[in-house]
Amino acid sequence: QVQLLESGPGLVKPSETLSLTCSVSGDSIDGYWWSWLRQPPGKGLQWIGYVYYTGSTKYKPSLKSRVTISVDTSKDQFSLRLTSVTAADTAVYYCARGGDIWQTGAWGPGILVTVSS
Amino acid sequence: SYALTQPPSVSVAPGETARITCGANNIGGTSVHWYQQKPGQAPALVIYYDRDRPSGIPERFSGSNSGNTATLTISRVEAGDEADYYCQVWDSNNDDRVFGGGTKLTVL
């Protein structure tokens, strides 16, 4: 069974860049879409974007100007970069397998990223 | 952008039926997925493509979608069903994946 695990800084300063990595184990990264989603504290879910194992990407239109998602198949990892962050970007960030539907058990546990000086 | 409207909360007694709605203009023309999220956990898929259940999801969970409303129905509600529920669609006009605001199901 696939396992995902997010890693990265838990605190980012306003105007700086948020960078997270998702490590995939238990299954190949090949052949799948891989997504980032987030959930502000006490609020709902938001899809950020996905990367296909070939490297092609799709981003949420409202975040497109600030988001880059990339994949490193040699390391079974994919990554998120979000530039010019503000307090509104404070959230639990999840990585998940899939592009349109995200199956149970194919999510990471989530990582809380706080944007604060 | 495509907006999905869910009631903030639904309350039912154990053994009763809970219905959680997800509204949008002509939502019946697209496929709706439903997720259950318990505190501190990642979401779990309970219904996909309007009415299909992933393996391991009880038959008590069912879905429908027509007109301007999609509905997640939970029959014979149990205490363990208490959670937040989110609907989700693919917004084809904007190539976006959109979630509803979520509904907190309380089992009285």
Side-chain angles (χ1 to χ4, degrees):
Chain A
Q1 181 175 340
V2 68
Q3 293 184 318
L4 299 89
L5 184 62
E6 305 89 352
S7 61
L11 181 64
V12 181
K13 290 182 168 54
S15 80
E16 295 190 345
T17 296
L18 180 158
S19 295
L20 297 174
T21 296
C22 183
S23 298
V24 179
S25 60
D27 198 357
S28 175
I29 205 167
D30 291 348
Y32 293 100
W33 287 267
W34 301 91
S35 287
W36 286 98
L37 303 98
R38 68 181 182 178
Q39 185 171 33
K43 297 188 178 180
L45 296 161
Q46 184 182 58
W47 173 72
I48 298 170
Y50 68 62
V51 61
Y52 194 42
Y53 77 102
T54 57
S56 63
T57 56
K58 187 71 67 177
Y59 303 131
K60 188 172 190 65
S62 61
L63 297 173
K64 188 175 182 179
S65 64
R66 298 195 292 131
V67 173
T68 302
I69 299 176
S70 58
V71 63
D72 186 339
T73 55
S74 68
K75 294 182 178 179
D76 285 330
Q77 293 178 336
F78 63 105
S79 299
L80 168 70
R81 290 183 75 251
L82 182 66
T83 62
S84 305
V85 298
T86 69
D89 295 308
T90 293
V92 173
Y93 285 76
Y94 294 100
C95 59
R97 186 175 68 184
D100 295 299
I101 305 173
W102 301 281
Q103 300 285 346
T104 302
W107 295 66
I111 183 170
L112 174 62
V113 179
T114 301
V115 178
S116 175
S117 55
Chain B
S1 63
Y2 203 79
L4 300 175
T5 302
Q6 296 184 238
S9 62
V10 169
S11 299
V12 295
E16 299 290 303
T17 297
R19 294 179 179 85
I20 299 172
T21 59
C22 178
N25 185 38
N26 194 32
I27 195 173
T30 190
S31 295
V32 179
H33 318 301
W34 291 91
Y35 299 84
Q36 175 195 68
Q37 187 180 32
K38 296 183 178 179
Q41 297 183 14
L45 183 68
V46 293
I47 292 288
Y48 63 104
Y49 292 124
D50 295 339
R51 59 182 65 248
D52 293 337
R53 276 179 291 105
S55 62
I57 300 300
E59 291 184 7
R60 301 185 297 105
F61 288 78
S62 63
S64 63
N65 184 18
S66 179
N68 296 324
T69 305
T71 304
L72 172 69
T73 301
I74 310 171
S75 304
R76 302 181 300 283
V77 166
E78 302 173 357
D81 298 331
E82 190 163 280
D84 294 326
Y85 291 84
Y86 295 91
C87 57
Q88 178 245 320
V89 303
W90 172 51
D91 171 10
S92 59
N93 288 334
N94 298 294
D95 200 5
D96 193 5
R97 284 76 179 150
V98 180
F99 287 89
T103 298
K104 181 176 181 59
L105 175 65
T106 299
V107 182
L108 300 171

